């Protein structure tokens, strides 16, 4: 309807306002067509299964995916997180949930992640955790959208008007959700491992974005949660940054950042994995 056409126009303005030449226009047109395909043929079967709502109609599926913040349902954004997570632990190609995931990731990347009124309840509802398994998705297009979305909500959050370091804003529950990504051994969780796994074989530019997220995350943890100002990394993680800086096919900015992170955290002795202040 008209609301969707307005949304497409806003997405085009937000993401493609600086289109230069026919190739950029072609990409913008392709993305608009893909979103329209999701809108015209919403993955209602998969949404019904995930939300355990057998009588859900196509119009409601569209609202939960494209317009969650306009719904009267106070749990609409939380349900969006459930749609990202899905319900089966192992999904066969072509499964209805994969269509739900593709639709949700696309609109999340292109629109929802640019709107703070969505981002805040999304993070509080476990949205960051829901993204972590997709940081290493085999589908590099999907992976790219997820990584860039994660970056937008973390190291680039100032563009949304949010400062992760400013604890005076009273958003403790929001920060707790990011802190939880550290894992049980202070950074040995899947989040850090997944970012490290993008060092090689990621989408174009993906390794640098993941390094920026990782540098932000470790620095943020040290600043807010290490009273002594020292976050001791494991020898393995310190070596990962050394290895990163030595990669042959990266740009100077990425190499410099890897060196800076290594030098910054190598000031303290490497931790043992049993230390509660360790980043494994």
């Amino acid at each position: 309807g008209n609301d969707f056409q307005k949304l497409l126009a806003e997405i085009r303005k937000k993401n493609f306002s600086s289109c230069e030449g026919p190739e950029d226009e072609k990409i913008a047109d392709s993305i608009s067509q893909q979103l329209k395909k999701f809108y015209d043929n919403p993955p209602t079967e998969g949404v019904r299964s995930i939300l355990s709502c057998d009588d859900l109609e196509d119009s409601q599926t569209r609202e939960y995916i494209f317009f969650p913040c306009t719904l009267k349902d106070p749990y609409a954004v939380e349900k969006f997180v459930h749609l990202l997570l899905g319900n089966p632990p192992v999904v066969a190609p072509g499964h209805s949930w994969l269509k739900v995931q593709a639709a949700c990731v696309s609109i999340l990347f292109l629109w929802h992640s640019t709107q703070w009124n969505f981002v805040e309840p999304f993070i509080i509802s476990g949205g960051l955790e829901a993204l972590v398994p997709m940081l290493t998705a085999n589908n590099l297009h999907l992976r790219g959208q997820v990584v860039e979305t994660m970056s937008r909500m973390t190291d680039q959050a100032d563009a949304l008007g949010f400062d992760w370091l400013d604890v005076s804003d009273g958003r403790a529950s929001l920060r707790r959700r990011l802190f939880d990504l550290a894992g049980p051994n202070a950074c040995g969780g899947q989040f850090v491992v997944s970012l490290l796994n993008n060092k090689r074989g990621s989408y174009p530019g993906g390794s640098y974005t993941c390094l920026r997220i990782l540098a932000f995350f470790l620095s943020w943890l040290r600043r807010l949660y290490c009273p002594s100002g020292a976050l001791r990394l494991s020898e393995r993680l310190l070596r990962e940054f050394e290895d990163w800086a030595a990669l042959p096919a990266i740009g100077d900015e990425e190499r410099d950042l890897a060196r800076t992170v290594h030098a910054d955290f190598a000031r303290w002795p490497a931790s043992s994995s049993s230390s509660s202040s360790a980043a494994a």
Side-chain angles (χ1 to χ4, degrees), residues 152-169:
R152 193 174 283 161
M153 295 183 183
T154 53
D155 67 294
Q156 302 292 314
D158 56 335
L160 296 170
F162 179 64
D163 183 354
W164 280 102
L165 291 169
D166 182 11
V167 295
S168 67
D169 61 10

Side-chain angles (χ1 to χ4, degrees), residues 4 31-44 58 61-62 65-66 98-107 110 141 145:
F4 180 69
I31 288 173
S32 295
Q33 290 168 10
Q34 183 65 42
L35 288 176
K36 188 174 186 303
K37 181 179 176 182
F38 286 135
Y39 186 84
D40 291 342
N41 300 285
T44 302
D58 284 351
T61 297
R62 294 186 184 103
I65 293 175
F66 291 97
L98 293 179
K99 299 173 185 176
V100 177
Q101 183 191 61
C104 288
V105 168
S106 291
I107 194 63
L110 290 166
H141 177 69
Q145 291 181 320

